[in-house]
Amino acid sequence: MTETSFDAVLAGIGPRLRTLRQQSDMTLTDLSEATGINVSTLSRLESGTRRANLELLLPIAKAHGVPLDDLVNSKIADPRVREEPQKVGSMTIIPLTSQPGNLQAYKMILAPTEDIREPGTHEGYEWLYVLSGRVRLQLGDRDFVMGAGEAAEFDTHIPHRFSAADGRPAEVISLFGKQGERVHLRAAPADRRG
């Protein structure tokens, strides 16, 4: 490692320390109490006016419950989701999230088909957004045709099924919560909409 790259690694430690502390909802005083390092030293570490060393970084890493490498390593992990597409009937399902948890996102490509399946039910809550084409959504005893830019949300305990409409392919984004989480969209107040 050259001296320039070593200096760059050291310069990046302060901002990472501040970010980690803020993500942990800790004040400098909280961190001081957890590490035994005085507030002034912690503040100077975060601002970069105090050079980091193992004696200071080890207790900080321990207080946050992270490996020491997380404090000094400036490499950013590849953020791209690389899940393999799955073919289910006439649908190609592409996972857009890979983290564990209740809310999952998928892109679905719906091929035209003479699908005669009955609508099904399962645990959860689903939100669909049509990217392109037209989608037929059967929900309970209702039947809807949605075009690009339209969205729907529904409890998956209601018998449902969606497919490409009009004999042409369609693409949708699906957000699905296994535990019944609803998607909350933020919108401008009515008087600010144009």
Side-chain angles (χ1 to χ4, degrees):
M1 179 182 285
T2 67
E3 188 172 332
T4 305
S5 60
F6 182 73
D7 289 340
V9 167
L10 286 178
I13 291 174
R16 279 192 296 283
L17 292 175
R18 179 178 296 112
T19 299
L20 185 59
R21 179 179 56 78
Q22 291 170 342
Q23 287 173 343
S24 299
D25 287 328
M26 295 179 85
T27 65
L28 285 170
T29 303
D30 296 334
L31 188 57
S32 175
E33 290 171 3
T35 61
I37 302 169
N38 70 49
V39 171
S40 173
T41 301
L42 292 170
S43 177
R44 292 186 337 217
L45 277 171
E46 288 185 2
S47 68
T49 58
R50 169 81 188 248
R51 196 168 200 163
N53 60 41
L54 280 177
E55 186 179 336
L56 297 171
L57 293 178
L58 285 172
I60 293 171
K62 185 177 179 183
H64 289 302
V66 298
L68 183 60
D69 285 354
D70 286 4
L71 302 182
V72 291
N73 190 352
S74 62
K75 293 180 183 167
I76 297 172
D78 187 343
R80 295 173 291 183
V81 176
R82 297 184 182 273
E83 300 289 331
E84 290 296 317
Q86 300 171 0
K87 189 86 166 149
V88 178
S90 62
M91 281 189 268
T92 302
I93 301 171
I94 305 163
L96 300 177
T97 52
S98 60
Q99 82 280 358
N102 295 328
L103 194 61
Q104 300 295 316
Y106 302 93
K107 177 179 179 183
M108 297 179 181
I109 303 168
L110 310 173
T113 183
E114 293 297 322
D115 193 352
I116 55 173
R117 294 176 297 133
E118 288 295 315
T121 64
H122 51 86
E123 290 294 318
Y125 206 87
E126 190 156 0
W127 181 85
L128 293 177
Y129 178 82
V130 181
L131 294 170
S132 66
R134 293 170 55 82
V135 173
R136 178 180 179 207
L137 171 63
Q138 294 171 272
L139 187 60
D141 59 358
R142 305 277 315 266
D143 207 334
F144 305 91
V145 175
M146 301 166 47
E150 290 189 288
E153 63 177 330
F154 54 92
D155 184 331
T156 57
H157 289 103
I158 300 170
H160 63 281
R161 172 180 172 292
F162 51 93
S163 57
D166 303 337
R168 290 179 287 208
E171 294 183 352
V172 301
I173 295 290
S174 168
L175 297 180
F176 173 71
K178 292 180 182 178
Q179 303 303 319
E181 300 89 351
R182 294 186 67 165
V183 175
H184 298 284
L185 301 177
R186 299 188 197 286
D191 60 340
R192 293 171 66 192
R193 293 182 191 153

